[in-house]
Amino acid sequence: MRPLFIAFLLLVMAGCSAVFTDVDGYVDDSSDADSDSDSDSDTDSDSDTDADTDSDTDTDSDTDSDSDTDVDTDTDSDTDSDTDTDVDTDTDTDIDVDLDALWTVYSDGYVVSAPLHGYASIITTGDTTVTPTDFSTVAPGNRLCMSGTVGDGNESTAQLAISLNQEWGGSPLNRDEYVPQPGGFYLDYSTVGTFPLQLEIADDDGNVWCTRRIQQSGTSVPFESLLEECWLGDAQPSYNYEEITHIKLVVPGTTGAATPYSFCLNGLWTWTDSVCDNSTVTMTADGIVDDFDNGGLDILMADGAYTGFWIAAGDDATGGTQTITVEEQDGNPTLHVVGSGYEGWGSFVGSVWGPQACLNAASFTGIAFDFKGISATDLYLKVGTAATFPSEYGGDCAADCYDHHRYLITPSAAFVNVQVPWTALTQNGFGTPADFDPHRILRFEFAPDPDTTNDYDFWIDNIRFY
């Protein structure tokens, strides 16, 4: 029995073991089946997830596009702007402004006329209109021009002011005093119409010295001729070389009517006594004075050794008229001079070197030029030197001045080349006798003789030493 029982017990235990295994397998199988089923469901969910993921990927692609746009725009804009601004500003300030230059206009109306340098500005008082309102847009090398109408009454003015000792980039009032050497100012300006124009110098404390009226362009204004508050009369004290800070060209108002005005300042220089002892330019080997190829009345030697301009002047008391222009003749820019009616001391067209430089042409034989002109008026070439000009024009002459050495030009209906050796120049005889000195030339003049029929029309080109 015991063996049978044991065998039975083993059989039962084996069956129980099979049942538990089946249960575990069922549970496992069911769990696996459910899990598989769920897994299928999850597979659908995964599909959704994949779709979402694809959608997200598209969104990311858009983000990348935005990022590219922002980066490109910022980089281009910042880089170009910074580079251009920094380079241009530094270059203009460090290289272009030459405080030893003759009359030169830079950007923003900064002016250099050694030893003077400062900003030009426009001032109006009373009922006055002006164009432009400042010189901030004036291109380098241009003239300083303004126009408008000065209102009725003495309280109205239009003023072109220039600081005399102001650094580049300085504020309007950041300027130092200037004390000139004995001498004066020399002005080159042009006007449209007729209106009064006066010169003023002043300090920052309200002290003013001025002229009653400038008569014509090419005017030399000795400092001693400037009177304190000149509008009060000729008995006012003269300027005595006090410290000054600025100079002005002023169009004053008049009582009873408004005054239209239009003028340009072409140049302003200081001169000192005995110019030829302080500012002598030795001519270069080509000897060119002016060929008028720049199309204007400015004089610029080929190597830039001096600048200057041509002026027209006459005895205004006799009511004459005169014009000077540069026009084409035979395909070349040429100086054209037309005038009539001058008596008294007559008229002339002359060269002015800035700032009243003295020319040393002693290495040459004489002066030559191309000429065309027919008239009953005798026309002279005159060469003014330090010996024939008074001190206010840079010369040494003390009395009976302006008797310049001259040469009578023969009329010609066609262009001819005229050569005038220094030995052919003689004085007229009314002034202080002086030897001609080619070391000390201050001016050339083409001057009709007022004692003959004073109507003239002539052309000049290619002026040079030979």
Side-chain angles (χ1 to χ4, degrees):
M1 288 293 291
R2 181 173 293 183
L4 291 173
F5 175 78
I6 292 172
F8 175 77
L9 181 58
L10 293 171
L11 180 62
V12 171
M13 292 176 64
C16 290
S17 177
V19 171
F20 285 121
T21 301
D22 290 341
V23 171
D24 290 341
Y26 176 78
V27 173
D28 291 340
D29 290 345
S30 299
S31 175
D32 292 341
D34 290 343
S35 176
D36 292 342
S37 174
D38 292 341
S39 177
D40 293 341
S41 174
D42 291 340
T43 300
D44 294 340
S45 176
D46 292 342
S47 175
D48 294 340
T49 301
D50 293 340
D52 292 341
T53 301
D54 294 340
S55 175
D56 292 341
T57 301
D58 293 340
T59 302
D60 292 341
S61 174
D62 293 340
T63 302
D64 292 341
S65 175
D66 292 341
S67 177
D68 291 341
T69 301
D70 294 339
V71 171
D72 291 342
T73 301
D74 292 342
T75 301
D76 294 341
S77 176
D78 295 341
T79 301
D80 292 342
S81 176
D82 292 342
T83 300
D84 293 341
T85 302
D86 294 340
V87 172
D88 291 343
T89 302
D90 292 342
T91 300
D92 290 344
T93 301
D94 297 338
I95 296 176
D96 291 343
V97 177
D98 178 6
L99 297 183
D100 294 323
L102 301 180
W103 172 263
T104 307
V105 177
Y106 295 95
S107 58
D108 294 328
Y110 190 77
V111 174
V112 175
S113 184
L116 311 178
H117 52 273
Y119 284 95
S121 60
I122 293 175
I123 303 169
T124 60
T125 61
D127 187 17
T128 296
T129 63
V130 65
T131 302
T133 56
D134 59 45
F135 294 121
S136 61
T137 60
V138 174
N142 281 8
R143 302 178 297 171
L144 301 177
C145 300
M146 53 189 287
S147 61
T149 301
V150 175
D152 179 9
N154 294 330
E155 71 281 359
S156 296
T157 62
Q159 307 175 25
L160 191 164
I162 300 177
S163 295
L164 298 180
N165 194 4
Q166 182 183 29
E167 297 303 317
W168 170 267
S171 64
L173 294 180
N174 184 19
R175 57 192 179 195
D176 295 326
E177 293 81 7
Y178 167 73
V179 179
Q181 297 297 311
F185 285 114
Y186 206 92
L187 299 172
D188 172 26
Y189 63 90
S190 54
T191 62
V192 177
T194 302
F195 51 88
L197 189 64
Q198 63 188 37
L199 177 73
E200 293 184 2
I201 57 175
D203 60 22
D204 285 333
D205 294 327
N207 297 307
V208 177
W209 298 266
C210 53
T211 62
R212 295 294 294 274
R213 181 168 181 171
I214 304 172
Q215 296 299 323
Q216 60 193 16
S217 180
T219 294
S220 179
V221 182
F223 289 123
E224 291 88 349
S225 70
L226 298 169
L227 303 180
E228 184 178 335
E229 298 180 347
C230 63
W231 54 87
L232 297 179
D234 294 338
Q236 291 294 104
S238 296
Y239 175 66
N240 194 32
Y241 296 96
E242 291 88 350
E243 294 179 342
I244 55 177
T245 56
H246 54 281
I247 182 173
K248 296 179 181 179
L249 283 179
V250 180
V251 182
T254 57
T255 302
T259 305
Y261 67 92
S262 178
F263 70 92
C264 293
L265 179 60
N266 308 321
L268 180 151
W269 299 271
T270 61
W271 55 266
T272 59
D273 294 342
S274 301
V275 165
C276 290
D277 296 330
N278 297 293
S279 182
T280 298
V281 175
T282 300
M283 297 297 297
T284 55
D286 60 17
I288 295 174
V289 176
D290 200 355
D291 57 13
F292 303 99
D293 284 353
N294 64 357
L297 298 174
D298 296 327
I299 301 172
L300 177 62
M301 248 173 59
D303 64 355
Y306 68 84
T307 58
F309 50 91
W310 292 93
I311 61 171
D315 191 338
D316 292 335
T318 60
T321 60
Q322 183 173 225
T323 61
I324 56 172
T325 55
V326 175
E327 304 174 21
E328 292 283 334
Q329 275 286 291
D330 299 336
N332 297 314
T334 306
L335 181 68
H336 188 200
V337 183
V338 179
S340 64
Y342 285 105
E343 298 178 3
W345 60 262
S347 62
F348 69 86
V349 171
S351 61
V352 176
W353 328 122
Q356 275 212 305
C358 185
L359 301 186
N360 178 0
S363 62
F364 297 91
T365 301
I367 186 170
F369 52 91
D370 296 335
F371 171 80
K372 182 176 77 171
I374 292 289
S375 71
T377 302
D378 290 339
L379 180 66
Y380 287 91
L381 165 70
K382 295 183 178 181
V383 183
T385 64
T388 58
F389 270 114
S391 60
E392 61 262 34
Y393 289 95
D396 305 320
C397 179
D400 298 325
C401 305
Y402 304 108
D403 190 5
H404 305 313
H405 294 80
R406 64 181 188 166
Y407 175 86
L408 180 62
I409 302 172
T410 302
S412 175
F415 272 106
V416 293
N417 183 250
V418 180
Q419 293 189 346
V420 183
W422 302 137
T423 55
L425 294 169
T426 59
Q427 289 179 279
N428 187 21
F430 65 83
T432 300
D435 294 330
F436 178 76
D437 186 355
H439 295 85
R440 298 160 63 83
I441 296 174
L442 288 174
R443 182 185 293 173
F444 299 116
E445 295 179 358
F446 295 94
D449 187 345
D451 295 331
T452 60
T453 303
N454 199 247
D455 296 318
Y456 48 93
D457 185 341
F458 61 89
W459 303 77
I460 300 288
D461 198 9
N462 298 319
I463 305 171
R464 60 199 179 279
F465 297 114
Y466 73 94

